[in-house]
Amino acid sequence: MTTRRRFMFMIPASGAVLAAACSDQATPPPAATPEAAPAAPPAAPMAPQEEPVPATPPEAGAGPMLDEADAAAVALGYVVDTARADKTKYPKHAADQTCSNCALYQGTAGADAGPCPLFPGKQVAAQGWCSSYVKKPA
Ligand code: SF4
């Protein structure tokens, strides 16, 4: 009787041991040791990155170039090249009138483009023109 009772107690215990032995989690994979990990290549010194410098830097914070097709540009007959101004529609236009010598032009001297208060957030071409041209005082 004692032997049979002991045997009955051993069955659940041995089942648990067998289940643990057959389980995937029973044997965890060996932990990677620092010696086993591949050595990282030494970091190469970083070469300084140089930005290409444009020939004529754009005006800081002036925004993109005004498109001739922009509704406000069309309304004022703006062109990026004063030579292309509509002489029929604007007979007072003169060939020497450009944004760069207009009183409203806010670009720096020698810049290719600059802001104009008539077209906020955009830049007009220094060689451009529109019908609101006002000669810059000498
Ligand atoms: Fe150019 Fe003057 Fe017309 Fe502005 S107002 S777009 S600077 S011509």
Side-chain angles (χ1 to χ4, degrees), residues 8-93:
M8 296 298 281
F9 280 116
M10 288 175 62
I11 289 176
S14 60
V17 169
L18 279 173
C22 295
S23 167
D24 288 341
Q25 297 172 348
T27 55
T33 59
E35 296 82 30
M46 296 287 288
Q49 302 264 332
E50 290 188 24
E51 296 269 332
V53 179
T56 306
E59 296 294 322
M65 291 298 294
L66 174 65
D67 189 336
E68 288 182 4
D70 184 288
V74 170
L76 293 178
Y78 171 79
V79 286
V80 296
D81 181 358
T82 191
R84 290 182 36 244
D86 186 341
K87 284 135 184 98
T88 306
K89 195 170 180 182
Y90 307 107
K92 291 183 177 178
H93 171 265

Side-chain angles (χ1 to χ4, degrees), residues 66 76-79 97-107 114-119 123-135:
L66 174 65
L76 293 178
Y78 171 79
V79 286
Q97 297 176 349
T98 63
C99 290
S100 63
N101 62 33
C102 173
L104 298 175
Y105 185 67
Q106 298 175 338
C116 171
L118 298 186
F119 305 104
Q123 291 192 81
V124 295
Q127 294 305 309
W129 180 87
C130 88
S131 60
S132 294
Y133 173 87
V134 178
K135 185 171 177 59

